[in-house]
Each structure stands twice: as structure tokens, then as C-alpha cells.
Amino acid sequence: MLAETLEQLQFLPSKRAAYVRFVLAALAVIVVFKTFWFARFGAWAQRELADFDAFHIVAQRVWRGDLDQVYHSEALLKMQMEAAGGATRFMPWTYPPQYDLLVAPFAFLPVGVSYLLFTAATLALYLVTLRRIAGNNFAQVLVILFPALAITIGCGQNGFLTGALIGLVCLNVERRQLLAGLALGTMVIKPHLAIAAGVYLLVTRRWIALGTAAAVVLASSLLCTLLFGWQIWFAWLGAIRESASYLEQGFYPLFRMVSTYAALYKAGVSASAAFWAQTAVAGLALFAVLLGAARGASAAFTLGAAVMVSVMISPYAYDYDLPMLGIGLALMLPDLIRIASPRERSVIYGLILFAGAYGLLQTARRAVQFGQKADPDQHFAPALGGFALMALLVLLLRLLWRGTQPAPILSQAAE
């Protein structure tokens, strides 16, 4: 079975090291390839914009003094068309001002160099953090997460950064709450991915961490207000309202999303019904955190579940947010082998693999040829990643309800 094959890696040091080297080498090759792509080298002189291009555009507007314009769709579309040298797909901007400040230094470098520095630095931080948490299971987690890691590199997104920040929260929550709070507060750049971790800290009464996180949010918000003015917050809130309308009308690339909303909407469910289903799933995801504490699961297992369900709360979750699942899986693995049957573990590994691989496949299909437009038919592709995460949530709830009890003997024997 899949579980037995992957778990053998921890007992074979030489094979484990070989897998780690292979995955890291493959990731490095993708980074180099995409660096030339973002730099518009050779055949890629004419290309559509990708996510990191949007980061670079926003960074430039910070120094030009008209940052609030990136939160207005018409103005932003014009900026993106100018950067692309013609028509391109529109990418709305709904990041809080703190993220604008974070990417601002990249305005002084060409987009290709900026991409290389950002991706290499955040990937390294993520891998070091994951290695600290996973230990001997590092190779296994890397193999399972490889498609999601490749996707994140491909578009230049911030999934490595958010995954590393949540990982730092997990590493420090027990003995260094101040550091955990600093990392959690920095998640203000993508706050919807920090909700479950915040609930875990609240349930376990980590007041120092929560207070530190709140202080980081308030201090960074004050700094952004001083630098950009009060109007930046009104512009940001306006962009969020506008993005909700875009989501309801299906203007986002929903096939890349891994949320319940996207999965159901693309399956033909009305926007209203899909939204309420997303709300229900978000409630179950947060309930999973409470359930872990109530049923006596270990702190690492409960925290790992909280990290995993973090990507199931918002309707805006994308496949490039999936590196966070690696942090959660690494935390859960020691207990998972004891309380879950081989079949259950195989399903968990398979669902994570599928969610990432599906997004990777759809992204590859969009790039018909170098430098050409995406295939418009892909706009109608289903959002199967969302169904995979819904199934994963159901299985996590089952394991958390089981608590500290091992998998049924009959279930294990049947394998």
C-alpha cells in the first residue's frame, strides 16, 4: 500500500537521503527554469503574467506613492497590461497593506532576479522549518508534498512563506511563546490561514503568544497607516468587497482553488449554496481543533490537525497554499502511525498528493506552448482539489474523535 511504501523510507537512511537529494534537486531545477521564464529570456519574451509579477507591480507602486490604486480593479488591470505588453489575465489584489510593505524592496530589482531571491529564500526557510519538525520523516513528507511545492515555485507565490511562519509557530509554541506570537502575528499578510492556529492557541491558553501576535498586528497596521495614510485601509476593504463579487461570478481561476466553495460552484451548485457549504466546512474545521483537545489527542497531533484544516476555512484557498499541509502532516506522523490504520494513512497521503498533483496538471495543461496564451477551455475544468480536502477533513475528524485510541485491530488486520 501507499502508506507502507512511503513509511519504509524512515527505516532506510541511505534511501531516505537519496529521495531527499532527488526532490531537492528537482525543486532547484524548477526554480532555475522559472527564473528564466519570469526574466522573459528568449522564447518567454512574450508571456502572460503570473502571481509574482503581481507582487512586483505592487512593489513598484509602493515607491511611486499611489499604492491605493492597486486596490482598484480598473487601475490595476491597466498596470498589469502595461507590464505584460498587451492583454493578459486580470489578477485582483486583496492582500493587506502589510504584504505590500513586505514586497516593496523587490521594486529595485528586475522581476526575474526578484523572483529568484523571493522564491529561493522562502523555499529555504520552509524546508529548514519542515526538516526541524519532520525529523526522519522529512523524505516522506517531501515526496507527498512535491506537486504542491512545484506549483508554488511555478507561480512564485507565498505558500512557502506562510507555511514556514505557521511552522515556526508550531516549533516555538511550547517553550518560546514570544517567538510563536511573532510568527503568528506576521501571518497578518494572509490572515485567513492563521485562524485555526489562533483558535488552538486560545484553547490551550497560550496568552503570551496571542498577546504578542496581536501586538504585531497592531504595530504593523500603525506603521502602514503612517506610511500609506488612512485611505489605504478603505481601498483594501473595497477590494475585498469587489473580490467577493468576482468570486460569485466565477471570474477567479476556480480550478486552481482547493476550497469547498470552488469545488461545489464548479460542480454546478449555486454561489449561495456553495458559500453556505463553505461556511459549514469552516465550522467543522475549527471544531476539529476543539475536538482534538477534548478527546485527549497529543498536543502535536492536535496542532498538526489545526495546521491542516487552516487551508479549508476560506473560499479563497489555492493549490499554492498546500505547503502548509506538509507542516501539519509532519506534526501528526508520529501519532498517525499508531492511531490510524495503513488504509487510513494511505488515503491521507493520497488525498494530499492528489490535491497538489491535480493543480500541477491543470497548470501544465494551461501552458500549451512557451510564450502562448492559456487554453481557454481550462476555465471550465472542475475544482477537484476542493473535494480532496473535504474528504481529508472527514478523515481527520474521524481520527480526532478516536482520540488516543489506536486503529481497530480488525481494520489493521484487514490490510
Side-chain angles (χ1 to χ4, degrees):
M1 293 188 69
L2 179 61
E4 295 169 338
T5 301
L6 291 172
E7 290 163 3
Q8 286 178 355
L9 293 177
Q10 62 181 304
F11 304 113
L12 302 169
S14 60
K15 194 172 184 180
R16 185 171 66 230
Y19 271 86
V20 170
R21 286 194 296 267
F22 176 81
V23 172
L24 294 183
L27 295 177
V29 169
I30 299 173
V31 170
V32 172
F33 173 81
K34 293 301 295 189
T35 297
F36 286 108
W37 189 89
F38 274 99
R40 298 179 182 273
F41 180 82
W44 301 293
Q46 298 295 324
R47 61 170 177 80
E48 283 193 329
L49 299 185
D51 296 66
F52 189 81
D53 290 304
F55 297 172
H56 199 256
I57 291 170
V58 171
Q60 293 173 331
R61 309 318 292 197
V62 171
W63 301 102
R64 293 182 183 181
D66 58 352
L67 178 63
D68 61 305
Q69 292 301 302
V70 303
Y71 294 107
H72 299 287
S73 59
E74 292 184 2
L76 180 58
L77 177 58
K78 184 178 179 180
M79 298 175 199
Q80 293 175 352
M81 292 179 66
E82 291 175 352
T88 187
R89 65 186 180 93
F90 175 53
M91 294 179 286
W93 187 259
T94 56
Y95 283 96
Q98 285 92 335
Y99 192 72
D100 305 337
L101 199 59
L102 177 68
V103 299
F106 294 112
F108 299 102
L109 297 171
V111 64
V113 177
S114 297
Y115 163 82
L116 177 61
L117 292 177
F118 178 80
T119 302
T122 56
L123 175 59
L125 178 62
Y126 174 80
L127 291 175
V128 169
T129 305
L130 182 63
R131 177 68 178 85
R132 284 283 308 278
I133 296 173
N136 288 339
N137 295 317
F138 184 54
Q140 177 183 341
V141 177
L142 275 184
V143 171
I144 296 171
L145 262 290
F146 178 78
L149 302 182
I151 289 171
T152 308
I153 293 173
C155 59
Q157 257 290 348
N158 49 34
F160 298 137
L161 178 58
T162 54
L165 288 173
I166 289 296
L168 290 173
V169 173
C170 299
L171 281 173
N172 294 291
V173 69
E174 292 292 336
R175 298 183 180 181
R176 295 177 289 272
Q177 288 194 47
L178 184 64
L179 294 178
L182 289 173
L184 184 65
T186 307
M187 280 295 294
V188 69
I189 63 174
K190 219 162 185 179
H192 58 277
L193 295 179
I195 295 174
V199 170
Y200 175 85
L201 295 181
L202 183 63
V203 170
T204 56
R205 302 179 182 181
R206 310 292 182 178
W207 308 123
I208 295 176
L210 286 171
T212 304
V216 170
V217 173
L218 291 174
S220 61
S221 298
L222 177 60
L223 177 60
C224 289
T225 303
L226 293 174
L227 292 175
F228 307 133
W230 284 104
Q231 71 273 10
I232 196 65
W233 299 105
F234 295 107
W236 175 52
L237 293 174
I240 292 177
R241 288 192 296 268
E242 198 171 41
S243 69
S245 174
Y246 292 153
L247 185 65
E248 184 177 354
Q249 298 174 64
F251 289 167
Y252 281 93
L254 298 181
F255 67 92
R256 290 281 310 277
M257 289 185 172
V258 293
S259 66
T260 298
Y261 176 90
L264 296 180
Y265 185 90
K266 294 295 288 182
V269 177
S270 68
S272 176
F275 172 79
W276 285 111
Q278 177 67 59
T279 302
V281 167
L284 287 174
L286 296 178
F287 174 71
V289 184
L290 305 178
L291 186 62
R295 298 292 292 179
S298 70
F301 194 84
T302 303
L303 183 55
V307 174
M308 277 202 175
V309 303
S310 295
V311 298
M312 306 174 190
I313 294 174
S314 171
Y316 292 94
Y318 277 92
D319 47 18
Y320 51 69
D321 294 318
L322 293 177
M324 192 171 289
L325 292 182
I327 300 295
L329 180 62
L331 285 164
M332 297 175 71
L333 272 176
D335 288 325
L336 197 63
I337 295 177
R338 179 174 56 85
I339 69 174
S341 69
R343 176 176 297 171
E344 290 170 330
R345 300 198 302 275
S346 293
V347 172
I348 290 175
Y349 304 156
L351 289 172
I352 296 174
L353 266 168
F354 175 80
Y358 179 76
L360 186 62
L361 174 63
Q362 294 300 327
T363 301
R365 291 180 63 185
R366 280 176 61 87
V368 179
Q369 290 182 349
F370 296 141
Q372 293 193 8
K373 300 294 184 182
D375 181 358
D377 291 338
Q378 292 305 301
H379 181 75
F380 302 100
L384 298 183
F387 288 111
L389 290 198
M390 281 189 277
L392 180 60
L393 176 59
V394 170
L395 190 48
L396 288 177
L397 287 169
R398 177 182 177 181
L399 295 177
L400 290 166
W401 183 261
R402 186 181 296 161
T404 58
Q405 300 299 317
I409 296 177
L410 290 178
S411 175
Q412 291 180 341
E415 311 301 332

